[in-house]
Amino acid sequence: MTRRLGDVLVELQLLSHEQVEDALRTKPRSVMLGDWMVEQQLINTAELIQALAEQFQVPALDLDSSSVDPQIARLIPEDFARRHESAAVRISGRQMTLAMVAPDDIETIAETELMTGYEIVPVVALAEDVTQVLQRAYDDRSLARQTIVDMKLAELREARESGEEDPTMAVLVDSDDTPVVRLVQAILSGAATAKASDVHLEPHKPEMRVRYRVDGELQQIMTIPNHIEDSVISRIKVMADMDTTESRRPQDGHLVVFENGKRVGFRVSSIPTVDGQKLVLRLLDEGGKTFQLDRLGMTERDQTLVRDVIEKPYGMFVVTGPTGSGKSTTLYAVLQHLNSVDRNIVTVEDPVEFRLPGINQVQSDNEFGMGFSNALKYIMRQDPDVIMVGEIRDRETAGTAVQAALTGHLMISTLHTNDAVGAVQRLGDLGIDNFKIAGALLGSVAQRLLRCICENCKQATTPNPSLLRALDTAGRIPSGATFYRGRGCKKCLGTGLSGRLPIFEIMPMNAEMVAAVEAGTPHSQLRELAIQCGMMELGQAGLEQALAGRTTLEEVYIKTMSDGWDRRQGSDDRREQE
């Protein structure tokens, strides 16, 4: 009988009984225990694969999808391989090495032997690695490249039949067998597999460029010939229920695909450019996204500060940061924490990205008089306890939001500022009086997303002394501290970075801060006071993550301090010149 994974982890002294029981109690039902423990950073992937090998009493294989010959993987039918989470990775003589998530599945081994005629040698591998092998073997970029080849061959055939030297290829967009349909499916599936946040289809000459945004960085995936791009755009518009005949106005739409049994939504936006229509598709993982404060990546201290703020009956709580810093995720986690049968929670969003059961979500629509400011006025008549406004972006919305916070409602929203203290200045810029800001504001949070070091190629490194001095202005880093970076490998595409983690700067409003805001204290002095009152700056929060070996000093500097430090350095240089 196969031992339980938790028992094996305890036997290997990787975890305690208490940690295993806590993980079993808190993990979502749909998530495997090992994956959950890695996600919670209780163990790393190397320790998980070691424990799985011990559990199943078979060798472990650290799979690299780029090193597996797709022709070997395709010896097993795709449906069978995906259903049984197994991939053929190696052939030696009459033996086939089969990477399996559950190598004790005797029936799968027996069926594979019958289908292939090889003697199966099972090895255990992580589910994510097996999936990547199958994706590379059966679809994604390989399929996308093949569909482009199909199109070019179709073009040549059409040219020969018509006698034209430079024909324009007409590809039907309503047939599931056309190359365009397969190409679009490959682009969407590839984005979901790569865990991209956005897909960009950009019309350029001589070819359309397709890029994924992964971990906040854009990566070029492929190019599409110009004579095909209209068909690709039309196919996506049909799927998103957009007007295919309109190319001169911006449009928005929404489409859904199913990838590996998961529902993945895409918010589609099109705009006209000088070279054609540009599309951006934002991925919305409608099946696997959960919003919980204790899963945002906050420290216990930060979680306590946020809970103390949002559990007050009325006032304003704002989340700040640039686009793509995770503000919406934080807002949804806050709403889920507050969601209960005794609270009426209403939101107005543009757009509604995720549906939250038990929460009344309103789609902002200026054409029908439901912009943020008007919608907020109507919501005030709906007896709300908690109101969430997607963004405070104008004077009218700011005034109504502050008034709601002052009259017994808990108001939650976002602002585009660089730091937590900047929320005060931004509300002032929008015409709110200092005494109203002081009376309404409960606290603000600034956040950033830092790219993580790839665990597969992580190694110790000597930090840049200048960078260390720039980040550690308070001299808190212990001497001899070890820092890490990624060497660069196939799993991280040579970047040394994989995945992202959030950092937070939280400014609660105590009596001193309220008095300072009422007095109109300048931003720099208000920031110094907030630090004295216990606020941890973004740079310091990032430095803690670098000291813990989760990210690099360079990443912390770029995402939190480069602009501010350059300005301070420039001021120091000017003073020296004077």
Side-chain angles (χ1 to χ4, degrees):
M1 182 177 176
T2 304
R3 291 177 294 168
R4 297 191 309 170
L5 178 61
D7 295 334
V8 174
L9 288 166
V10 173
E11 288 175 17
L12 294 175
Q13 298 183 347
L14 296 173
L15 292 176
S16 65
H17 281 290
E18 292 75 15
Q19 288 175 306
V20 171
E21 291 301 322
D22 184 59
L24 287 169
R25 187 172 58 255
T26 59
K27 84 173 186 70
R29 183 174 298 178
S30 60
V31 179
M32 295 179 70
L33 178 61
D35 295 337
W36 175 253
M37 289 176 169
V38 171
E39 184 178 334
Q40 298 300 305
Q41 298 180 348
L42 296 171
I43 56 175
N44 57 38
T45 53
E47 291 169 335
L48 174 58
I49 199 74
Q50 175 193 355
L52 290 171
E54 181 68 24
Q55 179 189 17
F56 293 112
Q57 293 295 296
V58 297
L61 184 61
D62 185 9
L63 267 183
D64 181 354
S65 62
S66 61
S67 66
V68 177
D69 186 347
Q71 297 296 333
I72 293 177
R74 283 197 286 265
L75 291 174
I76 301 176
E78 179 180 0
D79 290 344
F80 180 88
R82 291 190 186 278
R83 188 167 65 251
H84 295 282
E85 294 185 292
S86 58
V89 296
R90 190 182 305 127
I91 290 177
S92 177
R94 296 306 305 162
Q95 291 186 331
M96 172 187 283
T97 301
L98 188 67
M100 306 176 68
V101 175
D104 60 343
D105 187 347
I106 304 301
E107 291 183 6
T108 296
I109 294 173
E111 283 192 61
T112 307
E113 287 182 339
L114 285 173
M115 282 188 296
T116 63
Y118 286 96
E119 178 189 343
I120 298 302
V121 179
V123 296
V124 65
L126 298 180
E128 181 181 359
D129 293 342
V130 171
T131 299
Q132 287 179 354
V133 170
L134 299 178
Q135 290 297 105
R136 184 171 182 271
Y138 294 114
D139 47 33
D140 292 347
R141 299 187 195 182
S142 336
L143 177 57
R145 293 191 187 101
Q146 183 59 47
T147 56
I148 292 174
V149 171
D150 291 344
M151 292 174 187
K152 291 181 177 177
L153 290 173
E155 178 187 7
L156 291 174
R157 286 195 301 271
E158 190 175 318
R160 283 197 302 269
E161 292 171 2
S162 63
E164 298 177 7
E165 294 183 358
D166 186 22
T168 299
M169 182 178 147
V171 182
L172 297 175
V173 298
D174 58 353
S175 169
D176 289 343
D177 296 327
T178 61
V180 160
V181 173
R182 297 203 304 274
L183 175 57
V184 170
Q185 185 62 39
I187 291 171
L188 301 182
S189 297
T193 303
K195 299 180 180 177
S197 61
D198 301 89
V199 181
H200 292 245
L201 291 93
E202 303 163 316
H204 293 294
K205 304 296 183 185
E207 294 182 314
M208 168 178 271
R209 181 171 63 181
V210 180
R211 296 192 288 175
Y212 293 165
R213 187 177 293 279
V214 181
D215 295 336
E217 303 294 322
L218 281 171
Q219 302 174 3
Q220 181 162 322
I221 302 303
M222 69 180 79
T223 57
I224 298 173
N226 283 149
H227 63 270
I228 298 168
E229 70 176 60
D230 285 344
S231 298
V232 172
I233 294 294
S234 294
R235 172 62 184 171
I236 294 174
K237 282 189 166 185
V238 167
M239 294 174 69
D241 198 23
M242 298 162 69
D243 186 353
T244 58
T245 64
E246 179 57 72
S247 61
R248 295 171 297 176
R249 291 189 307 161
Q251 293 188 65
D252 293 302
H254 183 271
L255 65 88
V256 173
V257 298
F258 288 88
E259 177 63 17
N260 292 333
K262 284 201 315 183
R263 176 187 169 99
V264 182
F266 291 81
R267 190 180 76 225
V268 185
S269 171
S270 74
I271 60 169
T273 71
V274 293
D275 288 325
Q277 297 179 77
K278 179 183 189 299
L279 261 62
V280 175
L281 293 79
R282 167 65 58 88
L283 272 77
L284 310 170
D285 187 353
E286 300 179 358
K289 196 83 171 180
T290 58
F291 302 99
Q292 297 175 12
L293 272 181
D294 56 2
R295 294 189 64 187
L296 285 181
M298 287 185 177
T299 63
E300 286 293 334
R301 174 182 177 274
D302 288 347
Q303 286 185 49
T304 300
L305 286 173
V306 170
R307 285 194 182 100
D308 287 346
V309 170
I310 64 176
E311 287 175 358
K312 292 180 179 176
Y314 59 88
M316 177 182 284
F317 172 75
V318 295
V319 182
T320 74
T323 300
S325 59
K327 299 190 298 295
S328 295
T329 301
T330 300
L331 285 185
Y332 283 141
V334 167
L335 290 177
Q336 285 286 59
H337 179 78
L338 295 171
N339 192 10
S340 63
V341 293
D342 60 344
R343 283 194 180 102
N344 177 23
I345 303 177
V346 189
T347 76
V348 54
E349 307 169 52
D350 183 23
V352 176
E353 294 190 1
F354 295 95
R355 306 292 174 87
L356 303 177
I359 293 176
N360 306 290
Q361 295 173 269
V362 177
Q363 171 69 51
S364 174
D365 191 335
N366 287 312
E367 290 186 15
F368 293 93
M370 284 292 284
F372 281 146
S373 57
N374 276 345
L376 190 51
K377 292 176 183 177
Y378 292 123
I379 289 171
M380 292 284 286
R381 302 169 190 167
Q382 292 283 313
D383 186 30
D385 297 299
V386 180
I387 305 171
M388 191 273 272
V389 177
E391 181 186 348
I392 296 176
R393 58 177 66 153
D394 56 53
R395 181 185 296 262
E396 189 175 2
T397 305
T400 309
V402 168
Q403 192 62 34
L406 291 170
T407 54
H409 306 88
L410 181 61
M411 169 62 60
I412 302 168
S413 189
T414 68
L415 287 168
H416 280 286
T417 67
N418 290 329
D419 57 15
V421 178
V424 175
Q425 182 177 353
R426 178 62 180 150
L427 289 171
D429 292 342
L430 291 172
I432 309 301
D433 295 332
N434 288 332
F435 73 93
K436 285 188 176 180
I437 298 174
L441 191 62
L442 298 173
S444 62
V445 173
Q447 66 181 78
R448 299 290 189 276
L449 291 174
L450 305 182
R451 289 181 294 170
C452 302
I453 298 170
C454 174
E455 290 293 334
N456 192 57
C457 60
K458 183 176 178 180
Q459 63 181 22
T461 186
T462 302
N464 182 313
S466 299
L467 195 59
L468 205 54
R469 285 196 300 271
L471 289 166
D472 188 29
T473 55
R476 297 174 182 173
I477 296 179
S479 60
T482 303
F483 292 91
Y484 297 87
R485 68 177 180 86
R487 183 177 62 257
C489 64
K490 292 179 180 178
K491 283 195 172 181
C492 60
L493 302 178
T495 63
L497 300 164
S498 178
R500 290 192 289 179
L501 61 88
I503 55 172
F504 301 89
E505 176 181 275
I506 302 175
M507 182 194 75
M509 293 289 288
N510 58 19
E512 290 179 82
M513 290 293 293
V514 169
V517 171
E518 282 185 349
T521 304
H523 178 274
S524 57
Q525 296 178 24
L526 195 62
R527 183 171 182 81
E528 290 178 5
L529 177 60
I531 294 170
Q532 292 172 15
C533 292
M535 183 183 79
M536 178 181 289
E537 295 180 281
L538 280 169
Q540 186 63 35
L543 193 56
E544 286 191 353
Q545 297 293 348
L547 279 168
R550 299 188 185 102
T551 190
T552 66
L553 287 174
E554 290 78 8
E555 183 71 5
V556 175
Y557 181 83
I558 290 169
K559 295 293 173 62
T560 68
M561 297 191 66
S562 55
D563 291 341
W565 177 257
D566 290 342
R567 285 194 296 270
R568 290 196 300 272
Q569 187 65 46
S571 300
D572 293 342
D573 292 344
R574 284 192 295 272
R575 282 196 295 270
E576 288 178 5
Q577 291 171 3
E578 292 171 358

